[in-house]
Amino acid sequence: MPTLYEIIGIKHPEEVNGFKQDPMDGVSMVYTFADANALGQKKTQYFENNGSRGIYHDGWYACAFGPFIPWDTPGPPHA
């Protein structure tokens, strides 16, 4: 979303229909549009998908698979 917000030129809303919104995580990737070799600006990233999870921090990556391989959700669970 930070990338889309920057492209469209809008800010993340602080409130929607009377409900306060949590701050948005993430970094806009617009800086890469003019330079495909631009260095990443995010030092820490975390993801979860179907029980699998991973964290990247400053060049290091740690992960743990859940019952499914994240990019192969139609496949069978692995042992």
Side-chain angles (χ1 to χ4, degrees):
M1 287 308 298
T3 303
L4 293 175
Y5 280 174
E6 184 173 345
I7 291 168
I8 296 168
I10 61 175
K11 293 183 179 183
H12 178 66
E14 293 182 21
E15 185 178 303
V16 175
N17 295 330
F19 293 93
K20 184 176 165 120
Q21 301 298 294
D22 290 334
M24 178 158 307
D25 291 329
V27 174
S28 171
M29 296 188 310
V30 169
Y31 69 93
T32 66
F33 292 2
D35 181 5
N37 295 315
L39 294 176
Q41 294 183 354
K42 196 163 192 180
K43 292 187 183 267
T44 304
Q45 287 182 260
Y46 175 80
F47 88 91
E48 285 186 49
N49 186 340
N50 293 309
S52 295
R53 56 237 172 257
I55 188 164
Y56 167 89
H57 178 74
D58 206 19
W60 292 87
Y61 182 70
C63 66
F65 284 116
F68 296 99
I69 297 171
W71 47 89
D72 185 27
T73 53
H78 62 2

